[in-house]
């Protein structure tokens, strides 16, 4: 697919018969093809150049039949597609831009010299490229679309009557692409999933939001996320904090008294544990690492002279770390 800057690798030299030509006049319609299809540019050698998708081009073998429709992006990139495929995935004939049943919805609709319909769309080429890959059930991973492009593509799918829930599931290419963006763009991926009620996607994405500062959410983001998924995100953070608070509240179990260490001596470990847990609770985070728990409590053993107390401390810390790793990490 052509990028917006149209690097040379995505450009194709075109002879006159390759270029879309103006449609025939229908009843003196004032619509001109120049209003729909941009003029081709010329390179330094005087050759005419048009920008054509590297996946959806006139000779692509995606299907046995040749393409019969041209989708034109807002930045002048041509996508050669099949009307039957486009209409089969849309519930509103691509927002009314494509006629159903093979009939012309508007007499002035432009065509090429070979009769291919030209469907202009308001989205730029990177966004349309993702949408068309979804329509054909193809992966566009090689184009490395950003999360902003993916989000705009899902919004465009809704506009064109392509239900996101039907095409963004754990086994689909688009699901994998969005999820791959979650580690670096977690809030953007979560907004995308939440705004389209894609619960199966929101769940794994939310696990990357444990370190996200919820107070930094803007009004715009909260509005896009919506009350249901916002509540789930808040409850995830609050639930993990409360679970950790309960885990560290109980000090190590005392051991039976010995000549060297009775219950009175063991109270020093209990007091030290209480102070350490209060320190940890002060800066408690839902993304706290097990190593941080160990770094907080294990040094208490350096001040203990009783081996049984040391063993009890180590076992208690180990138990907390294991239990903490089992606490739910997603909505």
């Amino acid at each position: 697919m052509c990028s917006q800057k149209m690097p040379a690798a995505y450009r194709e030299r075109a002879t006159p018969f390759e270029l879309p030509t103006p449609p025939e006049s229908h009843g003196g319609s004032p619509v001109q093809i120049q209003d729909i299809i941009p003029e081709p540019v010329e390179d330094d050698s005087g050759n005419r150049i048009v920008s054509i998708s590297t996946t959806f081009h006139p000779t692509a073998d995606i299907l046995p039949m040749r393409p019969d429709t041209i989708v034109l992006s807002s930045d002048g990139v041509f996508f050669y597609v099949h009307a039957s495929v486009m209409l089969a995935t849309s519930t509103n004939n691509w927002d009314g831009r494509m006629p159903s049943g093979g009939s012309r919805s508007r007499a002035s609709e432009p065509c090429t010299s070979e009769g291919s319909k030209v469907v202009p769309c308001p989205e730029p080429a990177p966004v349309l490229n993702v949408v068309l890959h979804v329509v054909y059930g193809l992966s566009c991973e090689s184009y490395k679309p950003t999360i902003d492009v993916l989000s705009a593509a899902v919004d465009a799918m809704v506009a064109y009557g392509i239900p996101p829930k039907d095409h963004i599931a754990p086994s689909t290419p688009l699901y994998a692409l969005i999820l791959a963006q979650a580690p670096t763009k977690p809030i953007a991926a979560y907004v995308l999933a939440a705004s389209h009620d894609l619960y199966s996607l929101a769940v794994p994405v939310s696990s990357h939001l444990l370190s996200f500062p919820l107070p930094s959410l803007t009004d715009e983001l909260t509005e896009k996320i919506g009350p249901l998924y916002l509540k789930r995100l808040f409850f995830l953070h609050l639930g993990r904090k409360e679970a950790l608070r309960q885990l560290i509240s109980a000090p190590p179990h005392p051991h039976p008294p010995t000549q060297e260490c009775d219950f009175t001596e063991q109270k020093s470990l209990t007091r030290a544990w209480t102070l350490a847990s209060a320190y940890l609770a002060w800066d408690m985070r839902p993304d706290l690492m097990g190593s941080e728990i160990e770094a907080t409590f294990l040094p208490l053993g350096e001040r203990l002279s009783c081996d049984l107390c040391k063993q009890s401390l180590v076992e208690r810390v180990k138990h907390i770390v294991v239990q903490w790793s089992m606490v739910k990490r997603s909505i």
Side-chain angles (χ1 to χ4, degrees), residues 311-329:
Q311 181 181 353
S312 179
L313 173 65
V314 171
E315 291 177 351
R316 178 62 181 151
V317 173
K318 180 180 179 180
H319 175 76
I320 291 175
V321 171
V322 171
Q323 292 298 309
W324 177 238
S325 68
M326 298 171 63
V327 175
K328 188 179 181 182
R329 297 180 54 87

Side-chain angles (χ1 to χ4, degrees), residues 18-210:
E18 292 176 316
L19 292 173
T21 57
E24 297 179 359
S25 174
H26 295 277
S29 170
V31 176
Q32 300 294 324
I33 195 64
Q34 287 79 7
D35 298 329
I36 305 298
I37 300 179
E39 289 292 333
V41 297
E42 293 187 358
D43 61 11
D44 296 337
S45 303
N47 296 305
R48 290 192 296 175
I49 298 175
V50 292
S51 299
I52 300 176
S53 167
T54 54
T55 298
F56 303 98
H57 54 83
T59 58
D61 57 357
I62 301 175
L63 295 179
M65 71 281 291
R66 295 291 296 274
D68 56 8
T69 302
I70 299 174
V71 174
L72 178 62
S73 68
S74 61
D75 49 0
V77 180
F78 296 88
F79 296 83
Y80 288 75
V81 296
H82 305 82
S84 58
V85 176
M86 304 279 283
L87 292 172
T89 56
S90 174
T91 60
N92 63 2
N93 295 345
W94 271 70
D95 196 24
R97 297 174 183 273
M98 297 185 64
S100 59
S103 62
R104 300 284 295 279
S105 61
R106 293 183 296 271
S108 59
E109 183 177 306
C111 291
T112 66
S113 59
E114 297 180 352
S116 297
K117 294 180 290 293
V118 179
V119 181
C121 294
E123 291 79 22
V127 174
L128 269 183
N129 183 58
V130 173
V131 175
L132 292 175
H133 274 76
V134 170
V135 168
Y136 279 83
L138 303 174
S139 173
C140 56
E141 181 181 4
S142 60
Y143 294 99
K144 302 186 184 305
T146 65
I147 188 62
D148 291 336
V149 169
L150 293 173
S151 181
V154 177
D155 290 342
M157 288 169 59
V158 174
Y160 294 134
I162 306 171
K165 286 187 177 182
D166 293 348
H167 300 275
I168 305 178
S171 59
T172 61
L174 186 54
Y175 179 98
L177 278 177
I178 299 172
L179 189 57
Q181 299 280 344
T184 56
K185 300 289 185 178
I187 191 61
Y190 189 75
V191 169
L192 190 162
S195 60
H196 297 284
D197 192 20
L198 302 171
Y199 181 74
S200 64
L201 177 62
V203 170
V205 169
S206 66
S207 65
H208 298 282
L209 286 170
L210 296 179

